[in-house]
DNA sequence: GAGAGATATGCAACTTTTTGCATATGATCG
DNA sequence: CGATCATATGCAAAAAGTTGCATATCTCTC
């Protein structure tokens, strides 16, 4: 399972609580690997049991107490090993692409409407990613190695959104005439 | 579940056996929605029970008998309704992008090696998709509606591979110096 | 006739993800 | 004081996907 390793990766820099991690998985790392808080809390307990993480309860004033998880040496070793092993790419599954196969058989109007919505989503994502790049990753070559890796992940996001955006425009242009008639 | 609808989509043109469908899901539709034959056979039985498909045993000479599934009017209606409803985009999950966050903490060499392999995969996919486009979708505007939709799905594949390919090259260029030292 | 390979279909166990629900603390605002 | 929101953690059931195994027909080649 790779969720465990994604979590450990997020803990490389500093110990975090499940709540923190859940937010991490909604931004940064989450752009490329989504996980719900239910998944995260469950996985954290599993990893702590296995000895890859260490849990520490932290009492807080002004807010509910929390449990902070830190990477153990064993976890660190497992992570290294995972990085050295083969990767799995699970391609995106997109209803919309399947629906395109139905154009001509079903009404294309909702598909076009969906494309327009998605266009906006890609615009927003792209703007966000570019803002992050401009703020933190202006000159990739002068970054320390770790940041270069993160930069590349971000770059994948940017390129992906650019491509998806352009494709949406092209698709709308081609299908709009069908939807109007 | 969308697998059911992907299967029905594949049956829009003509009735197919589970085996045929499994191959369909390894090419055409399968570029955007992967499914194993185990999943497909299971789903086919479920759909037939629900009345969305009709199963017909076909005796064959020269090869094992098969079961051919056809879309029923009820299935057709369900498909229309699905097309009109909201779509879900499940973004890709890619170990490699998570591993990039580990560059600087773990040895980057295997990551670079993986990037090189992936570069080749993208090259192959791109060549394949382009071949299909050149053969069957040369002039998209003059295609009948149904084929236009399929063309757009193919185009999404082409653009995606182009982007991924270029990104791999950029990533290798940036990380190669780190891996050598 | 033995073996490999395409065709054809399936079970069972397991892992992973999704969905819906549940709970509790403390801050802030009206 | 009540409502709402951010913080913080979790259970349980269902759906979806993966993995490993199993079986059978028929063709073609050695």
């Amino acid at each position: 399972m790779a969720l465990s390793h994604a979590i450990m990766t997020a803990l490389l820099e500093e110990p975090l609580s499940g709540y923190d991690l859940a937010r991490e998985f909604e931004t940064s790392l989450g752009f490329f690997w989504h996980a719900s808080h239910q998944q995260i809390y469950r996985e954290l307990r599993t990893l702590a049991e296995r000895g890859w993480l260490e849990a520490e309860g932290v009492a807080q004033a002004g807010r509910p107490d929390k449990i902070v998880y830190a990477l153990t040496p064993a976890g660190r070793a497992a992570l290294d090993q995972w990085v050295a092993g083969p990767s799995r790419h699970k391609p995106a599954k997109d209803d919309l692409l399947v629906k395109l196969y139905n154009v001509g058989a079903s009404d294309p109007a909702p598909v076009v409407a969906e494309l327009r919505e998605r266009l906006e989503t890609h615009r927003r994502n792209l703007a966000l990613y570019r803002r992050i790049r401009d703020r933190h990753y202006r000159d990739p070559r002068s970054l320390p190695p770790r940041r270069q890796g993160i930069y590349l992940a971000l770059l994948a996001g940017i390129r992906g959104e650019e491509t998806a955006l352009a494709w949406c425009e092209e698709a709308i242009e081609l299908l709009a005439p069908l939807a109007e008639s």
Side-chain angles (χ1 to χ4, degrees), chain A residues 105-181:
Chain A
S106 298
D107 177 17
V111 176
V112 175
E114 189 90 30
L115 280 167
R116 285 192 221 276
E117 275 179 46
R118 199 160 286 195
L119 187 70
E120 288 313 313
T121 306
H122 291 310
R123 263 201 244 282
R124 272 196 305 278
N125 289 346
L126 185 54
L128 171 61
Y129 295 171
R130 281 183 173 157
R131 215 154 43 234
I132 296 172
R133 181 187 55 184
D134 292 346
R135 194 164 313 163
H136 300 293
Y137 302 91
R138 266 192 142 348
D139 184 11
R141 283 185 195 280
S142 64
L143 255 31
R146 173 155 167 71
R147 305 280 308 239
Q148 288 192 356
I150 300 178
Y151 162 76
L152 284 173
L154 179 64
L155 188 65
I158 291 174
R159 296 273 187 268
E161 294 294 337
E162 284 171 345
T163 302
L165 183 59
W167 176 81
C168 277
E169 284 170 347
E170 213 168 335
I172 291 168
E173 205 191 321
L174 188 66
L175 293 184
L178 298 178
E180 276 152 20
S181 59

Side-chain angles (χ1 to χ4, degrees), chain A residues 12-91:
Chain A
L12 263 179
E13 302 223 1
E14 47 170 355
L16 294 170
S17 71
Y19 191 80
D20 296 332
L21 279 164
R23 276 195 315 189
E24 190 79 4
F25 276 87
E26 267 171 19
T27 54
S28 165
L29 246 186
F31 299 149
F32 318 110
W33 196 283
H34 184 264
S36 64
H37 70 96
Q38 291 95 332
Q39 259 179 296
I40 290 168
Y41 285 120
R42 192 164 0 97
E43 195 64 30
L44 282 172
R45 273 170 276 138
T46 309
L47 287 172
E49 259 180 55
R50 200 182 303 170
W52 288 359
L53 298 185
E54 199 180 70
E56 189 196 0
V58 173
Q60 294 193 112
R63 37 172 81 176
D65 298 346
K66 64 180 176 182
I67 305 167
V68 168
Y69 292 87
L71 204 52
T72 64
R76 194 43 227 280
L79 191 55
D80 279 348
Q81 211 179 345
W82 173 73
V83 170
S87 299
R88 313 191 34 167
H89 175 66
K90 227 175 116 176

